[in-house]
Each structure stands twice: as structure tokens, then as C-alpha cells.
Coordinates of all heavy atoms in Angstrom, one line a residue:
G86 N 23.3 -45.8 115.8 CA 23.4 -45.3 117.2 C 22.1 -45.1 117.8 O 21.9 -45.3 119.1
K87 N 21.0 -44.7 117.1 CA 19.7 -44.5 117.6 C 18.9 -45.7 117.6 O 18.1 -46.0 118.5 CB 19.0 -43.4 116.8 CG 19.7 -42.0 117.0 CD 18.9 -40.9 116.2 CE 19.5 -39.5 116.5 NZ 18.8 -38.5 115.7
L88 N 19.0 -46.5 116.5 CA 18.1 -47.7 116.4 C 18.6 -48.9 117.2 O 17.8 -49.6 117.7 CB 18.1 -48.1 114.9 CG 17.3 -47.1 114.0 CD1 17.6 -47.5 112.5 CD2 15.8 -47.1 114.3
L89 N 19.9 -49.1 117.2 CA 20.5 -50.3 117.8 C 21.8 -50.0 118.5 O 22.9 -50.4 118.1 CB 20.7 -51.4 116.7 CG 20.7 -52.8 117.1 CD1 19.4 -53.3 117.7 CD2 21.2 -53.7 116.0
P90 N 21.7 -49.2 119.6 CA 23.0 -48.8 120.3 C 23.7 -50.0 120.9 O 23.2 -50.9 121.4 CB 22.5 -47.9 121.4 CG 21.1 -48.3 121.6 CD 20.5 -48.7 120.3
L91 N 25.1 -49.9 120.8 CA 25.9 -51.0 121.3 C 26.3 -50.7 122.8 O 26.4 -49.5 123.2 CB 27.2 -51.0 120.5 CG 27.2 -51.4 119.1 CD1 28.5 -51.2 118.4 CD2 26.6 -52.8 118.9
K92 N 26.5 -51.8 123.5 CA 26.9 -51.7 124.9 C 28.3 -52.4 125.0 O 28.5 -53.4 124.2 CB 26.0 -52.4 125.9 CG 24.6 -51.7 125.9 CD 23.6 -52.5 126.8 CE 22.2 -51.9 126.7 NZ 21.3 -52.6 127.6
Y93 N 29.1 -52.0 125.9 CA 30.4 -52.7 126.1 C 30.3 -54.0 126.9 O 29.6 -54.0 127.9 CB 31.4 -51.7 126.8 CG 31.9 -50.6 126.0 CD1 31.4 -49.3 126.1 CD2 33.0 -50.8 125.1 CE1 31.9 -48.3 125.3 CE2 33.5 -49.8 124.3 CZ 33.0 -48.5 124.4 OH 33.5 -47.5 123.7
G94 N 31.1 -55.0 126.4 CA 31.2 -56.2 127.2 C 32.0 -55.9 128.4 O 32.6 -54.9 128.6
K95 N 32.1 -56.9 129.3 CA 32.8 -56.8 130.6 C 33.8 -57.9 130.7 O 33.5 -59.0 130.5 CB 31.8 -56.8 131.7 CG 32.4 -56.5 133.1 CD 31.3 -56.5 134.2 CE 31.9 -56.2 135.6 NZ 30.9 -56.2 136.6
S96 N 35.0 -57.5 131.2 CA 36.1 -58.5 131.4 C 35.7 -59.7 132.3 O 35.0 -59.5 133.3 CB 37.3 -57.8 132.0 OG 38.3 -58.7 132.2
L97 N 36.1 -60.8 131.8 CA 35.8 -62.1 132.6 C 37.0 -63.0 132.3 O 36.9 -63.8 131.4 CB 34.5 -62.7 132.3 CG 34.1 -63.9 133.1 CD1 33.9 -63.6 134.6 CD2 32.8 -64.6 132.6
P98 N 38.1 -62.9 133.0 CA 39.3 -63.8 132.7 C 38.9 -65.3 132.7 O 38.0 -65.7 133.5 CB 40.3 -63.4 133.8 CG 39.8 -62.1 134.3 CD 38.4 -62.0 134.1
A99 N 39.6 -66.0 131.9 CA 39.3 -67.5 131.8 C 39.3 -68.2 133.2 O 38.5 -69.0 133.5 CB 40.3 -68.1 130.9
Q100 N 40.3 -67.8 134.1 CA 40.4 -68.4 135.4 C 39.2 -68.1 136.3 O 39.0 -68.8 137.3 CB 41.7 -68.1 136.0 CG 41.9 -66.6 136.3 CD 42.6 -65.9 135.2 OE1 42.6 -66.3 134.1 NE2 43.3 -64.8 135.5
S101 N 38.5 -67.0 135.9 CA 37.3 -66.6 136.8 C 36.0 -67.3 136.3 O 35.0 -67.1 137.0 CB 37.2 -65.1 136.8 OG 38.3 -64.5 137.3
R102 N 36.0 -67.9 135.1 CA 34.8 -68.5 134.6 C 34.5 -69.8 135.2 O 35.4 -70.5 135.7 CB 34.9 -68.6 133.1 CG 35.2 -67.3 132.4 CD 35.6 -67.6 130.9 NE 36.2 -66.4 130.3 CZ 36.9 -66.3 129.2 NH1 37.0 -67.4 128.5 NH2 37.4 -65.2 128.8
N103 N 33.2 -70.2 135.2 CA 32.8 -71.5 135.7 C 32.6 -72.4 134.5 O 31.7 -72.2 133.7 CB 31.5 -71.4 136.4 CG 31.0 -72.7 136.9 OD1 31.6 -73.8 136.7 ND2 29.9 -72.7 137.7
P104 N 33.5 -73.4 134.3 CA 33.4 -74.2 133.1 C 32.2 -75.1 133.0 O 31.8 -75.6 132.0 CB 34.7 -75.1 133.1 CG 35.1 -75.1 134.6 CD 34.7 -73.7 135.1
H105 N 31.5 -75.2 134.2 CA 30.3 -76.0 134.2 C 29.0 -75.1 134.3 O 27.9 -75.6 134.4 CB 30.3 -76.9 135.5 CG 31.5 -77.7 135.6 ND1 31.8 -78.8 134.8 CD2 32.5 -77.7 136.5 CE1 32.9 -79.3 135.1 NE2 33.4 -78.7 136.2
G106 N 29.2 -73.8 134.0 CA 28.1 -72.9 134.0 C 27.2 -73.1 132.8 O 27.6 -73.7 131.8
T107 N 26.0 -72.5 132.9 CA 25.0 -72.7 131.9 C 24.9 -71.5 130.9 O 24.2 -71.5 129.9 CB 23.6 -72.9 132.5 OG1 23.3 -71.9 133.3 CG2 23.6 -74.2 133.2
H108 N 25.6 -70.4 131.3 CA 25.6 -69.2 130.4 C 26.8 -69.1 129.6 O 28.0 -69.1 130.1 CB 25.5 -68.0 131.3 CG 24.3 -67.9 132.2 ND1 23.0 -67.6 131.7 CD2 24.1 -68.1 133.5 CE1 22.1 -67.7 132.6 NE2 22.8 -68.0 133.8
P109 N 26.7 -69.0 128.2 CA 27.8 -68.9 127.4 C 28.6 -67.6 127.5 O 28.0 -66.6 127.8 CB 27.2 -69.0 126.0 CG 25.8 -68.6 126.1 CD 25.4 -69.0 127.5
V110 N 29.9 -67.7 127.4 CA 30.8 -66.5 127.4 C 31.2 -66.3 125.9 O 31.7 -67.2 125.3 CB 32.0 -66.7 128.3 CG1 32.9 -65.5 128.3 CG2 31.5 -67.0 129.7
Y111 N 31.0 -65.0 125.5 CA 31.4 -64.7 124.1 C 32.5 -63.6 124.0 O 32.5 -62.7 124.8 CB 30.2 -64.1 123.4 CG 29.2 -65.2 122.9 CD1 28.2 -65.6 123.7 CD2 29.3 -65.7 121.6 CE1 27.3 -66.6 123.2 CE2 28.4 -66.7 121.1 CZ 27.4 -67.1 121.9 OH 26.5 -68.1 121.5
G112 N 33.4 -63.8 123.0 CA 34.3 -62.8 122.7 C 34.1 -62.4 121.2 O 33.1 -62.9 120.6
S113 N 34.9 -61.7 120.6 CA 34.7 -61.2 119.3 C 34.8 -62.4 118.2 O 34.2 -62.3 117.2 CB 35.8 -60.2 118.9 OG 37.1 -60.7 118.9
S114 N 35.4 -63.5 118.6 CA 35.5 -64.6 117.7 C 34.4 -65.7 117.9 O 34.3 -66.7 117.2 CB 36.9 -65.3 117.9 OG 37.0 -65.8 119.2
G115 N 33.5 -65.4 118.9 CA 32.5 -66.4 119.2 C 32.5 -66.9 120.6 O 33.1 -66.2 121.5
M116 N 31.9 -68.0 120.9 CA 31.8 -68.5 122.2 C 33.2 -69.0 122.7 O 33.9 -69.7 122.0 CB 30.8 -69.7 122.3 CG 30.5 -70.2 123.7 SD 29.2 -71.5 123.6 CE 29.4 -72.1 125.3
V117 N 33.6 -68.6 123.9 CA 34.9 -68.9 124.4 C 34.9 -69.6 125.7 O 35.9 -69.9 126.3 CB 35.8 -67.6 124.5 CG1 36.1 -67.0 123.2 CG2 35.1 -66.6 125.4
G118 N 33.7 -70.0 126.2 CA 33.6 -70.7 127.5 C 32.2 -70.5 128.0 O 31.2 -70.1 127.4
T119 N 32.0 -70.9 129.3 CA 30.8 -70.7 130.0 C 31.0 -70.1 131.4 O 32.1 -70.1 131.9 CB 30.1 -72.1 130.2 OG1 31.0 -73.0 131.0 CG2 29.8 -72.8 128.9
H120 N 29.9 -69.7 132.0 CA 30.0 -69.1 133.3 C 28.6 -69.3 134.1 O 27.6 -69.6 133.5 CB 30.3 -67.6 133.2 CG 30.7 -67.0 134.5 ND1 31.6 -67.5 135.4 CD2 30.3 -65.8 135.2 CE1 31.8 -66.8 136.4 NE2 31.0 -65.7 136.3
S121 N 28.7 -69.1 135.4 CA 27.5 -69.4 136.2 C 26.6 -68.1 136.2 O 25.4 -68.2 136.7 CB 27.9 -69.8 137.6 OG 28.8 -68.8 138.1
A122 N 27.0 -67.0 135.7 CA 26.2 -65.8 135.7 C 26.2 -65.2 134.3 O 27.1 -65.5 133.5 CB 26.8 -64.8 136.7
A123 N 25.2 -64.4 134.0 CA 25.1 -63.7 132.7 C 25.2 -62.2 132.9 O 24.8 -61.7 133.9 CB 23.9 -64.1 132.0
L124 N 25.7 -61.5 131.9 CA 25.7 -60.1 131.8 C 24.5 -59.5 131.1 O 24.1 -58.4 131.4 CB 27.0 -59.6 131.1 CG 27.3 -58.1 131.1 CD1 27.6 -57.6 132.5 CD2 28.6 -57.9 130.2
T125 N 23.8 -60.3 130.3 CA 22.6 -59.9 129.6 C 21.4 -60.6 130.1 O 21.5 -61.6 130.9 CB 22.8 -60.2 128.1 OG1 22.8 -61.6 127.9 CG2 24.1 -59.6 127.5
N126 N 20.2 -60.1 129.7 CA 19.0 -60.6 130.3 C 18.2 -61.6 129.4 O 17.2 -62.2 129.8 CB 18.1 -59.4 130.7 CG 18.7 -58.5 131.7 OD1 19.2 -59.0 132.7 ND2 18.7 -57.2 131.4
G127 N 18.6 -61.7 128.1 CA 17.9 -62.5 127.2 C 18.7 -62.7 126.0 O 19.9 -62.6 126.0
P128 N 18.0 -63.0 124.8 CA 18.7 -63.2 123.6 C 19.6 -62.0 123.3 O 19.2 -60.8 123.5 CB 17.6 -63.3 122.5 CG 16.5 -63.9 123.3 CD 16.6 -63.3 124.7
T129 N 20.8 -62.2 122.8 CA 21.8 -61.2 122.6 C 22.6 -61.3 121.3 O 22.8 -62.4 120.9 CB 22.8 -61.3 123.8 OG1 22.1 -61.4 125.0 CG2 23.8 -60.1 123.8
L130 N 22.9 -60.1 120.7 CA 23.8 -60.1 119.6 C 25.2 -59.7 120.2 O 25.3 -58.7 121.0 CB 23.4 -59.1 118.5 CG 22.2 -59.4 117.7 CD1 22.0 -58.4 116.6 CD2 22.2 -60.8 117.1

């Protein structure tokens, strides 16, 4: 909690995603699509 605090992901329904976007969309099982915007600023776990 002090060294590597977690942040919550944000809902992005499949119908709202841009399938031609350059930013990957991730769920708990891995990459689930793409979008034109990103929630994070760089490399992400």
C-alpha cells in the first residue's frame, strides 16, 4: 500500500470504445480492445 498503491480502473463499455484507437483497453483477463484515449500516462501494470 505504501510502495506500490493501486488505482481503480474506469468503466468503458465496449460500444463506447474506438476499435481503431491506438491505446489498448485492459480488463482483468488482459487486453480487451482499443480506444482513442488513455486513462494512464505511460507504461502501466
Side-chain angles (χ1 to χ4, degrees):
K87 292 181 178 179
L88 292 169
L89 202 66
L91 297 175
K92 301 176 183 178
Y93 284 100
K95 186 176 179 180
S96 176
L97 184 65
Q100 62 269 24
S101 300
R102 301 169 196 165
N103 180 356
H105 306 293
T107 57
H108 298 286
V110 177
Y111 279 89
S113 62
S114 60
M116 186 173 169
V117 294
T119 60
H120 193 47
S121 52
L124 189 61
T125 68
N126 298 311
T129 310
L130 292 186

